[in-house]
Amino acid sequence: NHKVEYFSVDNASNWEAGKTTSAVLDKTAPSISSIAPSGTIITTAANVSAYFSDGGSGIDSASASLTWDGTVLTGCTASASSISCPQTGLPQGSHTIGVSVADNAGNVATSSAGTVFIDSLIPRVNSQLPANNTWINTTSVTYSAYLADGAIRGVWPLAADSGINKA
């Protein structure tokens, strides 16, 4: 806290009553604590958000912004501790989320540490052996299938019903 006392005197030696003003020094940028979503999500709609704090002059909520692969998101709501941007139609694949926020003293914090992978494509069996409704004459059957997931993330190992009718 810096305090300045001041007054004025004119050429006729008239003195103004003393006045005081002060200024608070804040050279520390806000802290960004989390960015969401993260990891893998299975929908193309998400609430993109970030949380932040400032122990000095406080957050300038009008300065807060979020980016998706470098493009500023719109339709956001910001407060003194967070920003939230509901989004739809997000594209498949890997993406980077960035956040920028300033405090009331003009110190700016940025981060592009948020990463998210969108995989909303449903996996499918493209072909299988034996073919559907094939007659067999043995109780030992080898089943194989070609699984696909739109070349996004891949598929888990095949899960099949082991209750084969051996009549």
Side-chain angles (χ1 to χ4, degrees):
N1 225 355
H2 301 282
K3 184 177 176 181
V4 176
E5 295 179 12
Y6 62 96
F7 61 92
S8 63
V9 179
D10 66 14
N11 289 335
S13 295
N14 295 309
W15 291 67
E16 172 186 30
K19 296 180 182 176
T20 303
T21 188
S22 64
V24 179
L25 181 62
D26 177 0
K27 294 176 68 176
T28 305
S31 174
I32 299 169
S33 57
S34 68
I35 301 172
S38 63
T40 299
I41 61 173
I42 58 171
T43 178
T44 60
N47 187 31
V48 182
S49 61
Y51 292 87
F52 34 76
S53 61
D54 185 73
S57 60
I59 296 291
D60 174 8
S61 61
S63 74
S65 66
L66 284 167
T67 60
W68 183 271
D69 293 336
T71 301
V72 176
L73 296 177
T74 60
C76 304
T77 302
S79 71
S81 61
S82 67
I83 183 169
S84 175
C85 306
Q87 301 293 304
T88 60
L90 296 170
Q92 302 290 322
S94 183
H95 304 281
T96 301
I97 301 169
V99 61
S100 177
V101 64
D103 63 17
N104 290 311
N107 300 304
V108 178
T110 60
S111 175
S112 60
T115 57
V116 63
F117 193 92
I118 297 178
D119 181 0
S120 67
L121 301 176
I122 298 171
R124 64 191 176 285
V125 176
N126 282 346
S127 62
Q128 63 195 29
L129 293 173
N132 192 29
N133 293 322
T134 299
W135 287 96
I136 57 174
N137 64 0
T138 179
T139 58
S140 176
V141 177
T142 300
Y143 182 85
S144 63
Y146 171 71
L147 307 174
D149 187 32
I152 295 293
R153 262 300 202 218
V155 293
W156 289 96
L158 177 65
D161 182 357
S162 62
I164 296 175
N165 184 350
K166 300 179 184 177

